[in-house]
Structure formats: structure tokens, C-alpha cells
Amino acid sequence: MTRPGRPAGPTDDTATVVLTAALDLLLAEGAAALTAQRLHQVTGVSRSTVYRHWPTPGDVLAALIDVAPVPPAAPTGELARDLHTAVDQLCDRLRDRPVGAFLQALVVAGEARLRHRYVSDLLAPFHTVLRAAGVAATDREDAVATIAAPLLLDALLLDRPAARTRAHRIVDDVARRLTHP
């Protein structure tokens, strides 16, 4: 409950300053740095403001997840083409964004619920495409795992670029299997 005269949430400017600094701290120092004191030191935003809106490191991580999603492209109805688009989007995110460091921070912080939510956001474009194509839930889960697992393995565990060419070959195999059972 907020007191009279206090805004319910941070201003857009405050949120931008704090969350930008939080991401920088997360990448440089890990999730343990996401305290009100440390965010205050880096941003100049009062500790009470930081604490009021993001009382725990988990709350900061959740706020970062809220601003991270990239909306999936609208499916065209061509399964293989739409899956190729989703693969390219995931490869770009794994290359251009601090996805690996962010997931590691979620693991270190013991935030399984947030880790699941973040990975679900990464995989959402595949689910959207397959759902629009009428693929059954079990087949959809198998297809997403078949396509995305090697990319996530490369980027997160092996610390190497996602193998885009291999991912496109896998998409062709999955699309063929789903359209010609």
C-alpha cells in the first residue's frame, strides 16, 4: 500500500536509470550486486526509492525480465518460414543481448521461477508459430526443444556463437516431420 502523495511506481526516468544500472551491475558483478545500497551508489537514486520499488534482487531481476521481451513476429501461415524467422530471432538475441549472463544470474540468485519465465519468453516465438499451425501441445514441446536446445547449449554452456546454419537444418527437419508425418 502506498502512502498518500507517493506514486504507485517509479517514474519512467527513474526506472530506466535504475534498471540500466542494474543490468550493467549484473553483467559486471553478478546478481549479488543488485542491492538497494549498490544501486543507490551507482545511480544516485535514493536507497529508499530503490528499496520501495525493488525490495529484493529478485524484484530487480523480475523488472529486468519485464523490459526484455521481444514480441514475436506474426505467423504468416508458412510453418517452415515462420520457424526460420523464430530461429533467426533467437540467434540474434543470443548474440546481441546478455542472455547467458542474465540466466546465470538467475541461477545464482536461486530464482527458478524467474529463470523459467525468462526462458519461456525466449521460446515464445516458436510456440506462437507452432500453435498457429495447429501443432498439438506435446508435438509443440518436442519441436521447440529440438530446435532451441542446441542453440541454448552453444550460447549458455559452451560459450560459443549459436550455430545458425545447424538451427536452420533442424527447422527444416522439424517442419518436414510436422507437415508430412
Side-chain angles (χ1 to χ4, degrees), residues 94 150-163 166:
L94 292 171
L151 296 171
L152 295 172
L153 174 71
D154 285 344
L156 303 178
L157 297 177
L158 300 177
D159 196 28
R160 63 185 184 200
R166 180 182 62 205

Side-chain angles (χ1 to χ4, degrees), residues 57-124:
D59 293 318
V60 176
L61 290 167
L64 287 170
I65 291 173
D66 289 340
V67 299
V70 175
T76 66
E78 296 179 40
L79 181 62
R81 179 179 170 193
D82 291 340
L83 287 173
H84 282 290
T85 298
V87 158
D88 284 334
Q89 184 181 31
L90 180 57
C91 287
D92 291 346
R93 287 189 78 185
L94 292 171
R95 180 196 68 217
D96 298 337
R97 301 189 192 284
V99 172
F102 196 82
L103 281 170
Q104 289 170 347
L106 293 172
V107 169
V108 169
E111 295 287 348
R113 176 185 55 83
L114 292 176
R115 187 176 64 247
H116 183 267
R117 185 173 138 208
Y118 188 65
V119 171
S120 293
D121 286 349
L122 290 173
L123 302 180

Side-chain angles (χ1 to χ4, degrees), residues 29-47:
E29 301 175 26
L34 300 180
T35 65
Q37 175 64 31
R38 189 71 177 104
L39 288 166
H40 160 69
Q41 289 172 342
V42 172
T43 64
V45 173
S46 75
R47 282 188 318 217

Side-chain angles (χ1 to χ4, degrees), residues 14-54:
T14 300
T16 298
V17 166
V18 171
L19 294 178
T20 300
L23 184 58
D24 291 343
L25 281 172
L26 176 71
L27 298 176
E29 301 175 26
L34 300 180
T35 65
Q37 175 64 31
R38 189 71 177 104
L39 288 166
H40 160 69
Q41 289 172 342
V42 172
T43 64
V45 173
S46 75
R47 282 188 318 217
S48 61
T49 296
V50 173
Y51 185 74
R52 180 171 50 249
H53 299 296
W54 305 281

